[in-house]
Amino acid sequence: MIILLLTLISYIIYNKSASIINKDAEAYMESQLDRAQENIDLLIKINQLETEKLSLDLNVKSFLDHKMSVRALNNHLTAMMQEKNNSSNYYMDLFIINKEGHIVATTMPSAMDLDLSTRKYFQEAKDFKKTVTSDILTAKSDGSLIIITVSPIINDAKQVIAYAGTAIYAEFLSNFIKTFELGKIGYYVIIDSNNLILSHPNEKLIATQATNINYDIPDEFRLNRQTKVISTINKKHFFNNNGSKELQMYKLIESNNWVLTAVLPESELREKSLSLLIYVIVIGILVTILAVFIGTYISDKISIPIVAITRYINHAARSSLLISKSISDSINGFKDPEEHFVHDHHENHVKPDDEIGNLTRSFKNLKEYLASAVHQFNDESEQLIKTSQELSYTIEATSGRTAKFISVLSHDLKTSITLIKGYAKGILSGIIDSDEVKSRFLEGIYNSAEDIERITCDILDSAYEAQNIPKLYTEKVDMKKFASKLFETAKQYAKDSQRQFEGLLLCEEGMLLIDSIKISRVWNNLLNNAVKFSHEGSKIQVHIIQENNKITFKIIDEGIGIATDDMDKIFDIFYTGQYDDKKGYGLGLFIAKSFIEAHDSKLYFTSQLQKGSTFWFSLDIREDI
């Protein structure tokens, strides 16, 4: 009976624990799938940004303006690709395509004059005037499996004059996805929009049809891919693959309409459950052996009265003189067991109810022990789940900080490059005759280039130090010169953007202890937003005013303003509001706010929808330096 009870308890504990462990494993698998999908989306976005950067290259524009030869541009593209491959050797080609779809410049001579006009990715880039990444392709030049990204090259008149392209090896995605662990033998598969395998641990399967090797995509995903409806719901089912059972989960890669599949053999899911079963069986056997010993001990205690009676009868039988008395006593004992046992107690010192009481207490102790064991096991299971969740949160936080770093790096360089283009455009236009103005513009280009160098070093330093707050390089700055510089920058930028400028500069002598590069970047960002979200001919007001021991920097525009629902979110990272026609990555105000707060100040704003916005911040004037 005890053995049966222990077997039943072991079975219940195993089923409950196995269910908890399997659910926890599936939850961890889903979190890993989300993390892998986010990083692949980020990788594709970075490659698209690199292609867009190539479309803005000055040498490329010089070539398209017939100011540079094909040979010179090919050499320049080759040097760029070698520099990129020094850090990560996955670029196959950088190339330029004319409006008709023919390659007119490339790092690979065999690709010259190649006609891409009928390719799907080129047609999409041409029709929608946007950066497009292809599915997996076979290179005509050498048969390599590649992925191509194409971005339009737009001139000053907002016309597409050519296209910039980059080609990366498809195996790079497979190597990249291998860095994301999924149990001991689990793996990831990427399937492109043509149902071709784009990434797989077995490189021989790349570029083959997914359905040929039993990677069936659920019906919901097929519908979403046809209608281009993005789904973030993971789909899973058990599937027989070569005689073994697997758990497959799917998630749509939003950036390119690909499907990321996570595959984990069911045997690995059950591995922990089987280990737990062995543990329960071993404990059950030990408890059973212990129960046998306890049962033997209890049986011995119960048999003592019977042994005593047997001895008494045998003793009486050996004496004929005592036969009558023995029989009489025996009959009386059966008639009144209590009296008989009391008499037996006097001779053998054994209490008849002690054995039953001991048995009851033993069962009670066993029950308490088993209840304690179940409670302890539940506590350990909950602790295991909690530890797994904390590990998952840590992994997601680390992934988020990595994505944030890469995005901030791209955005930080944008403002300085914009200034360089503006100054260069002013010089190249030929309308500036004053040598003094030309010298000032060249100085602005040089200073902005220095800003780019310092920004890059600054962000890389922050990455190495693994900090979540900006690192400041504070220095003593002449307040009047610094304020005048920002004022003139705003004035020139507003005029170059066909906006009316109205300014007020009230500043006396004084010193600031600030990181001038970061404050300049905040100013340029606010100024860029004022222009971007306003119309040509509207007014932009700039006020730089010294008040008491502070100097306030304020920019007022007459733009589209900010909706009430968006006001609590505009400083969130990656938040871009509802302005889909305005290009941006939702980083500017987030970065500006963090820089200002690092200077122990705050970035303020007021806004009315369709009437304009005002942004301002203040810096302390230092008298002790």
Side-chain angles (χ1 to χ4, degrees):
M1 182 177 179
I2 294 174
I3 293 174
L4 181 62
L5 178 63
L6 289 174
T7 302
L8 179 62
I9 292 173
S10 299
Y11 177 76
I12 294 173
I13 293 174
Y14 166 72
N15 272 349
K16 183 176 181 181
S17 303
S19 175
I20 293 173
I21 291 174
N22 288 343
K23 287 181 180 178
D24 184 43
E26 290 184 12
Y28 176 73
M29 187 175 174
E30 290 181 6
S31 67
Q32 287 291 84
L33 183 64
D34 285 337
R35 175 172 170 259
Q37 180 262 333
E38 290 171 358
N39 279 272
I40 292 172
D41 269 327
L42 180 60
L43 187 66
I44 294 171
K45 188 61 181 178
I46 290 172
N47 188 48
Q48 291 179 345
L49 290 174
E50 289 291 332
T51 308
E52 292 173 0
K53 180 180 177 182
L54 177 62
S55 70
L56 299 174
D57 189 85
L58 296 178
N59 287 318
V60 172
K61 291 196 172 182
S62 295
F63 168 75
L64 296 175
D65 291 338
H66 307 291
K67 296 179 181 179
M68 177 181 284
S69 66
V70 174
R71 181 176 181 182
L73 181 58
N74 288 344
N75 292 337
H76 174 67
L77 295 176
T78 301
M80 287 181 64
M81 189 174 74
Q82 289 175 349
E83 181 180 355
K84 294 177 182 297
N85 284 336
N86 285 336
S87 57
S88 52
N89 188 23
Y90 62 88
Y91 279 93
M92 175 191 177
D93 190 15
L94 303 180
F95 53 93
I96 305 300
I97 312 170
N98 63 15
K99 293 176 63 176
E100 288 72 30
H102 293 83
I103 295 179
V104 294
T106 176
T107 64
M108 302 179 64
S110 59
M112 282 295 293
D113 297 324
L114 191 64
D115 185 5
L116 306 179
S117 60
T118 59
R119 297 297 179 96
K120 179 182 176 181
Y121 58 86
F122 178 79
Q123 290 294 333
E124 289 185 3
K126 182 177 180 181
D127 293 341
F128 299 105
K129 296 181 180 180
K130 67 175 184 179
T131 303
V132 176
T133 299
S134 72
D135 291 322
I136 190 168
L137 303 170
T138 301
K140 289 186 176 180
S141 56
D142 60 0
S144 299
L145 297 176
I146 59 173
I147 297 170
I148 290 179
T149 301
V150 175
S151 179
I153 301 176
I154 301 174
N155 61 12
D156 295 335
K158 306 300 182 182
Q159 297 174 333
V160 177
I161 57 175
Y163 301 86
T166 60
I168 64 173
Y169 291 104
E171 65 181 15
F172 169 69
L173 283 177
S174 295
N175 295 332
F176 176 78
I177 202 66
K178 286 178 183 178
T179 61
F180 297 95
E181 295 182 357
L182 187 62
K184 294 180 181 178
I185 57 177
Y187 58 93
Y188 296 92
V189 179
I190 301 177
I191 303 172
D192 68 15
S193 60
N194 292 323
N195 283 331
L196 294 177
I197 294 180
L198 195 148
S199 172
H200 195 283
N202 185 355
E203 296 181 358
K204 294 181 180 179
L205 299 179
I206 296 177
T208 61
Q209 279 288 335
T211 53
N212 293 343
I213 52 174
N214 299 325
Y215 290 110
D216 287 339
I217 300 173
D219 294 336
E220 181 180 346
F221 275 83
R222 289 196 182 96
L223 178 62
N224 288 344
R225 293 174 69 174
Q226 293 173 0
T227 59
K228 298 189 180 298
V229 175
I230 302 301
S231 174
T232 58
I233 301 174
N234 295 337
K235 294 295 180 182
K236 59 192 178 198
H237 64 278
F238 286 101
F239 180 80
N240 288 321
N241 185 18
N242 297 328
S244 62
K245 221 172 187 183
E246 295 177 341
L247 173 61
Q248 297 180 353
M249 291 189 179
Y250 304 89
K251 187 157 189 179
L252 206 61
I253 298 177
E254 299 179 3
S255 60
N256 217 41
N257 209 22
W258 296 341
V259 172
L260 176 63
T261 304
V263 182
L264 187 66
E266 187 182 3
S267 59
E268 185 166 343
L269 279 174
R270 292 186 175 183
E271 185 175 341
K272 290 184 179 180
S273 301
L274 292 175
S275 299
L276 177 63
L277 177 60
I278 294 173
Y279 175 79
V280 171
I281 290 174
V282 170
I283 296 297
I285 292 174
L286 294 177
V287 173
T288 302
I289 294 173
L290 180 62
V292 170
F293 281 107
I294 293 174
T296 303
Y297 176 77
I298 293 173
S299 298
D300 290 340
K301 287 292 185 180
I302 293 175
S303 66
I304 287 176
I306 299 174
V307 172
I309 293 173
T310 303
R311 286 178 180 176
Y312 181 76
I313 292 174
N314 290 335
H315 176 72
R318 285 193 295 266
S319 176
S320 59
L321 296 177
L322 297 176
I323 290 177
S324 299
K325 186 177 183 303
S326 297
I327 295 174
S328 177
D329 289 344
S330 298
I331 293 172
N332 292 333
F334 282 104
K335 290 180 178 179
D336 191 356
E338 182 175 353
E339 180 181 350
H340 172 76
F341 282 120
V342 169
H343 175 75
D344 183 72
H345 164 73
H346 291 297
E347 292 191 5
N348 297 285
H349 305 287
V350 177
K351 294 181 179 180
D353 57 348
D354 282 350
E355 289 75 14
I356 304 301
N358 290 337
L359 179 60
T360 302
R361 285 191 293 272
S362 297
F363 273 113
K364 182 178 180 181
N365 291 338
L366 178 61
K367 178 181 178 182
E368 291 176 353
Y369 171 78
L370 293 176
S372 175
V374 172
H375 180 72
Q376 181 180 358
F377 188 83
N378 285 336
D379 288 343
E380 291 177 355
S381 298
E382 291 175 359
Q383 186 64 33
L384 178 62
I385 294 172
K386 183 179 179 181
T387 302
S388 176
Q389 289 174 343
E390 290 176 353
L391 177 61
S392 177
Y393 294 152
T394 302
I395 292 172
E396 290 177 0
T398 303
S399 176
R401 285 195 292 271
T402 302
K404 170 184 171 183
F405 163 73
I406 296 173
S407 300
V408 170
L409 176 60
S410 301
H411 184 275
D412 284 350
L413 298 175
K414 180 180 177 181
T415 54
S416 293
I417 292 174
T418 301
L419 289 175
I420 291 175
K421 288 174 62 181
Y423 286 127
K425 181 180 178 182
I427 295 173
L428 293 173
S429 63
I431 62 175
I432 300 175
D433 298 328
S434 173
D435 292 336
E436 180 181 352
V437 176
K438 287 182 179 179
S439 177
R440 180 157 53 85
F441 276 27
L442 291 172
E443 182 180 357
I445 292 173
Y446 178 79
N447 291 337
S448 296
E450 281 193 328
D451 288 350
I452 292 175
E453 181 180 10
R454 185 168 179 179
I455 290 168
T456 304
C457 294
D458 177 31
I459 294 179
L460 291 176
D461 287 344
S462 297
Y464 283 118
E465 294 169 4
Q467 293 181 353
N468 293 324
I469 58 175
K471 183 175 181 180
L472 301 181
Y473 295 92
T474 56
E475 57 184 349
K476 294 185 288 186
V477 176
D478 185 294
M479 179 178 65
K480 189 171 184 178
K481 290 183 179 180
F482 183 69
S484 298
K485 176 184 175 182
L486 297 189
F487 188 83
E488 289 299 325
T489 299
K491 180 178 181 181
Q492 187 64 43
Y493 187 69
K495 290 182 177 180
D496 290 342
S497 303
Q498 287 77 50
R499 268 68 171 177
Q500 300 180 38
F501 177 80
E502 183 178 291
L504 179 61
L505 175 61
L506 297 176
C507 180
E508 299 177 358
E509 299 294 336
M511 299 297 292
L512 301 173
L513 185 61
I514 59 173
D515 187 328
S516 59
I517 294 295
K518 287 185 171 58
I519 296 299
S520 296
R521 285 160 60 192
V522 173
W523 182 254
N524 291 334
N525 177 267
L526 297 179
L527 184 62
N528 180 65
N529 283 349
V531 171
K532 181 166 66 173
F533 294 104
S534 64
H535 305 288
E536 291 187 5
S538 63
K539 183 191 298 182
I540 291 181
Q541 301 180 55
V542 173
H543 296 169
I544 302 180
I545 302 174
Q546 178 182 349
E547 298 175 336
N548 299 327
N549 292 325
K550 293 182 179 292
I551 180 169
T552 301
F553 299 83
K554 182 180 294 185
I555 296 179
I556 307 169
D557 66 64
E558 298 176 345
I560 59 180
I562 303 170
T564 303
D565 293 341
D566 291 340
M567 288 187 177
D568 293 335
K569 307 173 186 176
I570 64 170
F571 293 117
D572 292 346
I573 189 168
F574 303 135
Y575 189 78
T576 57
Q578 304 173 0
Y579 312 115
D580 296 334
D581 58 333
K582 305 295 182 182
K583 185 177 180 181
Y585 301 101
L587 293 170
L589 289 179
F590 171 81
I591 297 168
K593 180 175 179 287
S594 65
F595 285 169
I596 294 301
E597 289 180 349
H599 284 81
D600 296 326
S601 185
K602 289 186 177 181
L603 181 58
Y604 301 94
F605 79 97
T606 59
S607 182
Q608 283 185 288
L609 195 61
Q610 303 303 329
K611 291 186 178 180
S613 302
T614 301
F615 283 82
W616 75 92
F617 61 91
S618 299
L619 298 175
D620 292 328
I621 302 173
R622 303 295 296 268
E623 297 179 356
D624 55 345
I625 57 175

